[in-house]
Amino acid sequence: MAAEWSVLLLTCQRGGCVSAFQRELESRRLRGSLGPRPPALLLAVEDPWARLGSGGATLNALLVAAEHLSARAGCTVVTSDVLRDARILILHMGRDFSFDDCGRAFTCLPVEEPSTQAEALVCNLDSLLGTMTHRLCVGSPPGVWVCSTDMLLTVPAVPGINWDGFQGVRVIAVPGSQAYARNHGVYLTDEEGLVHNIVYKGTEAQIQQCAGPDGTVPLVCGVVFFSSDAAEQLLATHVVPPLDACTYMGLDSGAPPIQLSLFFDIVLCMAEGMTEEEFVKGGGDASVKSARSVLWTALHTFPLSMACIPNASYDYMTTSASDHIRSLTLLPGSASHLRFCKTAHSHVDQQPHLLEDGSSVTNCLLEGAVQLAAGSVVQHCHLQGPLEIGPGCLLSGLAADSSPALQGCPLHDIVLQGHHVRLRDLPCRVFTLTGRLDDWQSPADEATYLNMPWAEFFHRTGIREGDLWDAEMPRRSRCLLSARLFPVLHAHEALGLEDVLWLLAPVAGKRLARWRTAWRMSWQELLPCLDRVAELGARRDLFFLQGQHKVRQVLLGCRDSSLQPLTRSAVHEGYHEAVLGTLDEVASTADDAGIAARALACIADVLGCMARGEGGLRSGPAANREWASAFGRLESGDIAGGVRELAAERQKWMSSPALLVRAARHYEGAEQILIRQAVMSSCQFVTVGEVELPPLGHWVQVACPARLDLSGGWSDTPPITYEHGGAVVDVAVLVDGCRPIGAQVRRISEPELRLTSLGGTPQSEAVMELVCRELEHLQDYCQPHAPGALLKAAFICTQVVQFPSQKPLGAQLMENFGGGFEVQTWSKLPHGSGLGTSSILAGAVMAALYRAAGKTASTTSLIHAVLHLEQRLTTGCGEELVRQAALCRAKCRRAGNLPLLGQCLERYWQQKKCMAPGCEPLAVRRMMAALQPHVYGQCLAGAGGGGFLYVLTKAPRQKEALHQILAKTEGLGNFSVHSIEVDMGGFPVDVVGCDLKDGAPSREDVAV
């Protein structure tokens, strides 16, 4: 289950590039990470004032949501009625973050999620969205959830919140230690879970009063839920001064700014232990006191309850570098839905063992020997070795051209970041360097820089206090946050990473003089200039650059890993041309035709994804003459030339979804050419022996069972088998007590080939007769729908007939066999039965033909021979002859557990429907529904869509009973019911008498 949001809002600070964050939200909608039913409204909302506070941001976001919902409802004014059934989620980005230019919400976590539809970086925002949507908010009534993004939150899959009879407002808490609570907020509640007070940085006695029986305290974790009634009352205050100043309407009306806290100015007024006088007096200045008075009147009657989630955890993202590095290198709690990994969305060029356990690499491209010690983090970097990064480091935002400056530099316990900065219309790169133990706001007299006292730093570098702070600045205000340490521009020289790295190993003279003459800024001054649009863009660029390396690595390394999530993401984000170029490169340079084929299949996937579900079905014809030249090159073995021509032709088919789908079909056709060439090599595994020719006129007969697929269908076909491997489980069955598929071959005195297709048995009348006397009569053997194509291909693939050849057909037959051959085939199964008729018939014909020609082949050789035939016939990969074991079915068989086997069949049918939507016609649904009470399980054979439905009945011998049930079911049309049983008899080849219609006087069994 998942919460289904009506509106999702992300608030950001004024001037915080709201358009960039709106794009990020839309990207998540496109790649499916907002669930199967994403919010109808997805809004990034800018705070109207610079210091609005979480309370003001909540009221402004609620107004924006109500206004959009009102407009959608056709209203001309904002009405609170739209909140009655709405489910709204408000996420607050909060203040700037020292260790990520895009804030705590977009801090990337070392996580990969292989099950997602589109591959992407996982930010704290994504983690919180997953927690709120799939865990914390499931089952809650309509209302408004508010969540801060300044913490890492872990919640069990079932949080256990009881919503029965809920009214008012509910705060969410997580259990924490009393020591941790000294610097945080905790709730004081009664036995019924109603909140009496919120204690922030309380005394030891106050915190002890909040503790439960196990000694833990309920920590404030930044999550609040307002019922629809409470949300309506809160919204109503947006027109009342001074609360109107919290909204954009107040800004547009000229109201003076006001700052409000969500917890201490809004939520606290509903606490049972709070009086109106105490609450209003705690508001500070007059405007806040007035705002508190309004809020008390509107909200204090609503009950404020608390839900403390057992086994949940909360980790506030502080400005401590040590805390931040620890949070990215330690595994989250067992209750988390995330699993941290050492390298996430990163390409490590070589020697991955150089990355020690306990280190973390996210969205990086590491080339050469890059050594990373435990306890260090690298994010959004393109680094080139040799480099050695010691413990306690955080490196972020460094491009490849930074690597020379880093080589040989003492990197340990430092934070080194590259920033995109825009100074009015001038974009530039700025680098900042701090120590892991430094505190941003402590006065310089009591603090450190680069982990050493400021006095020692001044002594080592020659830098003076006057270089960093103005003389009139009070000493208590002189801190790392305000120190003008970081060079931004220079009048005569280009600046780079080396202009801050020298601070680690200072060399007197030139570097100091260059540093002094540069225009420098403090971190406090840099913050408003950070270019978040450029930063997010650079992260995407690097993500897809390492993604291109991943494409090469997966394809060239023949890894069982799907590239579809990455290609989907590339299409959504506009990086499809880069991925297509990489796939072209791999396809044209690979030494293996199978690798090239997989690359072409991936290109087809990219083109299909670019159509965005429009343009028609992916399956369809692929023989347009515009592509013929490229196909011809592939057929001739010129893969590189063929790929180049395909790419050139592709550019003409990119302008509409319909053309993209047709182009994808042709790429799949090109892939099939290469697959066919690869599978054609199976003939080298065919070993044929010599045996005595059967007498002239004696039939060699092969009768075969049908096959039922029990599991794994589709998994042995590209591109699925490329990405995940394949295992198909089949069972050989008799239909109505007999083997329904067969072939018989005999030598005849005339030098010709007589090809006959009979009805359901060897005694049936012919439905197709063909006589081949010239080699030209065989030339359409590779066209599956040509008359007798399979039989013609069998003669060629068994090398009974050499084609092409200068020697006429009659001469070949007389010289090698003293005459020609007559072949007859039959099948009791209708076309499209799903029981493997075509491939099984091919095996039967080839087995009989080998024996009639005085040859013998093992079962393994016959399997490879059929693979070869089907590629010559261009019909597929012969998967019907694959026989592999599956653990689930084996357990069922050994245990004799028919109900469990039935469950497996039902699961398999659901998988088929997932693989091929639309494969369950209405008549089939009606039939399955009618039979459901009488069977353990049921499934359509083959690919689905028609053919045979096979069922496992609860009682034996139910053929007639099922027929009666179906006869009473409306809408089925014509149907027939057949009994099946497992065939344990193998694959016999029989040499029998001259005239089967008059009996079989002689018989020779040859096991194959």
Side-chain angles (χ1 to χ4, degrees):
M1 291 181 61
E4 295 183 5
W5 304 113
S6 310
V7 190
L8 191 156
L9 304 101
L10 178 67
T11 71
C12 63
Q13 294 184 87
R14 184 169 178 80
C17 297
V18 65
S19 60
F21 299 131
Q22 182 69 41
R23 185 189 190 282
E24 289 297 311
L25 292 178
E26 294 295 342
S27 292
R28 283 156 175 78
R29 187 209 300 268
L30 279 174
R31 63 181 184 240
S33 57
L34 297 181
R37 296 183 180 177
L41 288 170
L42 204 59
L43 304 169
V45 180
E46 186 177 61
D47 292 344
W49 306 106
R51 295 184 179 276
L52 187 63
S54 58
T58 298
L59 183 56
N60 183 62
L62 183 58
L63 171 62
V64 171
E67 184 175 9
H68 278 77
L69 289 172
S70 298
R72 282 188 166 236
C75 303
T76 56
V77 296
V78 176
T79 171
S80 61
D81 292 346
V82 295
L83 301 181
R84 178 59 46 193
D85 297 315
R87 298 175 186 272
I88 299 171
L89 174 59
I90 299 172
L91 296 160
H92 291 314
M93 285 188 61
R95 291 169 288 184
D96 295 308
F97 189 41
S98 308
F99 308 115
D100 196 294
D101 291 357
C102 299
R104 292 171 172 87
F106 290 95
T107 296
C108 286
L109 305 178
V111 171
E112 290 188 354
E113 296 180 303
S115 61
T116 55
Q117 291 185 350
E119 187 170 328
L121 298 174
V122 178
C123 303
N124 187 38
L125 174 69
D126 301 299
S127 173
L128 289 170
L129 273 172
T131 295
M132 299 295 288
T133 302
H134 298 285
R135 298 191 172 199
L136 198 55
C137 306
V138 174
S140 65
V144 179
W145 283 91
V146 184
C147 178
S148 170
T149 62
D150 60 4
M151 78 292 197
L152 299 173
L153 183 64
T154 296
V155 173
V158 181
I161 303 175
N162 183 5
W163 293 102
D164 292 343
F166 170 77
Q167 293 180 325
V169 176
R170 176 164 286 169
V171 292
I172 304 300
V174 300
S177 69
Q178 295 184 37
Y180 189 84
R182 293 184 191 124
N183 293 309
H184 295 275
V186 293
Y187 294 111
L188 176 63
T189 63
D190 63 16
E191 293 181 355
E192 296 179 354
L194 294 176
V195 177
H196 275 242
N197 200 358
I198 304 174
V199 179
Y200 181 67
K201 291 186 177 181
T203 64
E204 187 172 341
Q206 288 175 317
I207 294 172
Q208 178 63 41
Q209 190 181 4
C210 301
D214 60 355
T216 64
V217 292
L219 297 173
V220 176
C221 71
V223 181
V224 186
F225 175 71
F226 293 84
S227 67
S228 296
D229 290 337
E232 288 184 42
Q233 289 299 312
L234 178 60
L235 176 64
T237 66
H238 85 274
V239 296
V240 182
L243 287 171
D244 60 339
C246 293
T247 70
Y248 80 92
M249 287 186 175
L251 172 67
D252 293 347
S253 302
I258 185 173
Q259 182 176 8
L260 291 180
S261 161
L262 172 62
F263 287 92
F264 295 105
D265 292 320
I266 295 180
V267 173
L268 186 60
C269 74
M270 293 172 277
E272 284 202 338
M274 190 63 57
T275 64
E276 180 178 8
E277 181 181 6
E278 184 182 5
F279 175 68
V280 172
K281 281 185 177 180
D285 62 36
S287 62
V288 176
K289 288 179 180 178
S290 177
R292 283 192 166 202
S293 178
V294 174
L295 289 166
W296 176 272
T297 301
L299 299 174
H300 85 278
T301 57
F302 287 102
L304 178 63
S305 59
M306 179 197 74
C308 190
I309 312 300
N311 300 316
S313 66
Y314 158 86
D315 193 1
Y316 180 72
M317 299 171 73
T318 71
T319 57
S320 162
S322 295
D323 289 348
H324 186 60
I325 291 171
R326 176 189 54 79
S327 68
L328 296 178
T329 52
L330 292 179
L331 294 177
S334 59
S336 175
H337 60 287
L338 301 174
R339 290 293 176 265
F340 283 14
C341 50
K342 185 163 61 175
T343 56
H345 302 295
S346 298
H347 174 78
V348 180
D349 190 39
Q350 56 177 301
Q351 300 174 317
H353 64 277
L354 295 178
L355 308 180
E356 295 182 8
D357 291 340
S359 63
S360 174
V361 178
T362 304
N363 194 34
C364 289
L365 182 56
L366 305 184
E367 300 176 307
V370 178
Q371 185 169 344
L372 184 64
S376 283
V377 175
V378 181
Q379 293 194 329
H380 316 302
C381 289
H382 183 180
L383 302 178
Q384 296 172 333
L387 288 178
E388 185 175 343
I389 303 168
C393 292
L394 170 63
L395 273 62
S396 177
L398 305 181
D401 56 8
S402 301
S403 297
L406 289 169
Q407 292 171 1
C409 198
L411 302 177
H412 53 82
D413 293 320
I414 57 111
V415 177
L416 181 58
Q417 297 172 276
H419 310 274
H420 292 270
V421 171
R422 181 169 289 274
L423 305 171
R424 293 192 178 180
D425 294 328
L426 177 65
C428 59
R429 292 280 285 155
V430 176
F431 299 95
T432 58
L433 175 68
T434 57
R436 178 176 64 82
L437 303 178
D438 298 342
D439 184 278
W440 285 96
Q441 295 183 334
S442 295
D445 293 340
E446 307 167 7
T448 64
Y449 178 58
L450 296 179
N451 307 310
M452 66 184 80
W454 279 96
E456 182 180 342
F457 170 74
F458 292 145
H459 176 74
R460 290 184 59 190
T461 60
I463 293 174
R464 299 186 293 266
E465 281 195 55
D467 295 323
L468 304 180
W469 300 288
D470 295 335
E472 60 271 18
M473 179 176 285
R475 295 202 65 80
R476 298 295 298 177
S477 299
R478 298 183 182 187
C479 60
L480 177 55
L481 188 65
S482 60
R484 296 192 181 100
L485 277 162
F486 310 118
V488 177
L489 294 172
H490 196 281
H492 307 294
E493 301 177 76
L495 298 175
L497 184 60
E498 60 274 10
D499 291 291
V500 294
L501 283 177
W502 77 275
L503 300 174
L504 293 173
V507 178
K510 184 178 179 181
R511 283 293 177 193
L512 176 59
R514 176 181 163 105
W515 179 86
R516 277 205 171 110
T517 54
W519 177 33
R520 290 170 281 105
M521 297 175 73
S522 67
W523 180 240
Q524 194 171 43
E525 293 166 331
L526 281 170
L527 279 173
C529 304
L530 293 176
D531 189 342
R532 294 174 177 87
V533 174
E535 176 61 30
L536 290 168
R539 294 181 185 183
R540 283 193 297 272
D541 290 344
L542 185 56
F543 175 80
F544 287 107
L545 181 60
Q546 66 83 25
Q548 289 170 255
H549 282 77
K550 175 182 177 178
V551 168
R552 295 187 187 94
Q553 197 172 52
V554 167
L555 295 178
L556 296 175
C558 299
R559 297 186 178 180
D560 290 342
S561 177
S562 175
L563 291 174
Q564 283 192 341
L566 178 62
T567 57
R568 285 194 195 101
S569 185
V571 170
H572 296 329
E573 298 286 358
Y575 287 80
H576 50 273
E577 288 292 352
V579 173
L580 286 171
T582 302
L583 292 168
D584 286 336
E585 173 200 330
V586 172
S588 60
T589 58
D591 295 330
D592 186 296
I595 293 174
R598 184 179 180 186
L600 296 181
C602 289
I603 293 175
D605 284 339
V606 175
L607 297 175
C609 187
M610 289 174 65
R612 300 184 186 275
E614 301 178 5
L617 297 173
R618 280 285 298 277
S619 59
N624 189 292
R625 283 178 290 183
E626 299 296 324
W627 299 82
S629 176
F631 282 16
R633 285 188 175 273
L634 296 178
E635 293 279 13
S636 68
D638 181 8
I639 295 179
V643 171
R644 284 195 299 271
E645 287 201 22
L646 287 170
E649 184 62 31
R650 182 177 73 216
Q651 294 304 316
K652 306 172 188 176
W653 297 66
M654 305 281 277
S655 59
S656 72
L659 290 176
L660 285 165
V661 168
R662 291 167 63 192
R665 293 171 184 167
H666 283 81
Y667 263 94
E668 288 171 346
E671 168 213 0
Q672 288 297 325
I673 292 173
L674 298 184
I675 290 175
R676 186 166 68 250
Q677 291 175 347
V679 178
M680 290 276 281
S681 65
S682 62
C683 62
Q684 65 185 292
F685 302 105
V686 177
T687 303
V688 178
E690 299 291 333
V691 295
E692 183 181 354
L693 278 169
L696 194 69
H698 278 61
W699 290 101
V700 177
Q701 187 183 83
V702 176
C704 300
R707 72 101 174 94
L708 286 179
D709 56 311
L710 300 183
S711 183
W714 293 100
S715 72
D716 58 341
T717 58
I720 301 167
T721 188
Y722 289 142
E723 298 164 357
H724 305 290
V728 181
V729 181
D730 293 335
V731 60
V733 295
L734 304 178
V735 179
D736 292 328
C738 68
R739 295 181 176 126
I741 304 165
Q744 57 190 22
V745 182
R746 68 177 175 179
R747 288 193 300 122
I748 57 178
S749 57
E750 294 84 356
E752 62 188 24
L753 305 178
R754 297 178 189 169
L755 313 178
T756 305
S757 177
L758 304 174
T761 68
Q763 290 77 33
S764 302
E765 296 298 323
V767 295
M768 187 279 296
E769 291 182 293
L770 193 65
V771 178
C772 300
R773 296 187 176 92
E774 307 291 342
L775 284 177
E776 289 75 12
H777 296 161
L778 303 179
Q779 64 185 3
D780 60 354
Y781 78 94
C782 60
Q783 300 175 22
H785 300 293
L790 186 148
L791 305 183
K792 295 173 184 179
F795 276 101
I796 294 169
C797 291
T798 56
Q799 298 185 353
V800 171
V801 173
Q802 298 297 321
F803 181 88
S805 174
Q806 298 296 319
K807 186 176 294 188
L809 175 61
Q812 291 187 42
L813 294 173
M814 291 304 296
E815 181 178 319
N816 296 323
F817 305 104
F821 291 89
E822 181 177 1
V823 181
Q824 297 180 348
T825 62
W826 61 88
S827 173
K828 289 186 176 182
L829 305 175
H831 178 72
S833 66
L835 301 185
T837 306
S838 59
S839 289
I840 295 172
L841 186 60
V845 170
M846 295 191 80
L849 191 52
Y850 274 132
R851 184 65 188 89
K855 301 179 181 181
T856 182
S858 67
T859 301
T860 300
S861 291
L862 186 61
I863 289 173
H864 285 96
V866 173
L867 284 169
H868 182 235
L869 179 144
E870 290 209 317
Q871 292 309 312
R872 295 293 289 267
L873 197 59
T874 64
T875 59
C877 295
E879 66 267 21
E880 285 84 357
L881 288 178
V882 177
R883 298 290 184 266
Q884 296 196 37
L887 183 59
C888 173
R889 271 67 183 182
K891 285 182 177 178
C892 297
R893 179 176 55 81
R894 286 196 298 268
N897 192 332
L898 295 182
L900 181 56
L901 180 57
Q903 291 176 22
C904 292
L905 296 181
E906 293 285 347
R907 189 181 307 117
Y908 181 37
W909 178 232
Q910 297 304 317
Q911 292 168 350
K912 281 190 179 184
K913 291 195 291 184
C914 182
M915 291 299 302
C919 69
E920 185 181 60
L922 176 59
V924 171
R925 286 201 298 275
R926 288 173 174 170
M927 188 178 295
M928 286 184 157
L931 297 178
Q932 187 66 48
H934 310 281
V935 302
Y936 287 126
Q938 49 190 330
C939 182
L940 275 188
F948 274 80
L949 169 69
Y950 62 92
V951 302
L952 180 61
T953 58
K954 294 180 178 178
R957 293 176 290 279
Q958 292 293 294
K959 178 178 176 180
E960 293 303 323
L962 296 188
H963 193 284
Q964 292 177 14
I965 292 170
L966 295 177
K968 298 175 183 177
T969 304
E970 295 182 358
L972 297 188
N974 295 328
F975 67 90
S976 59
V977 180
H978 305 265
S979 62
I980 62 171
E981 56 187 287
V982 176
D983 181 12
M984 307 298 292
F987 198 110
V989 177
D990 300 330
V991 179
V992 296
C994 297
D995 191 349
L996 290 177
K997 292 185 179 181
D998 297 331
S1002 63
R1003 186 180 186 98
E1004 172 191 339
D1005 288 342
V1006 181
V1008 176

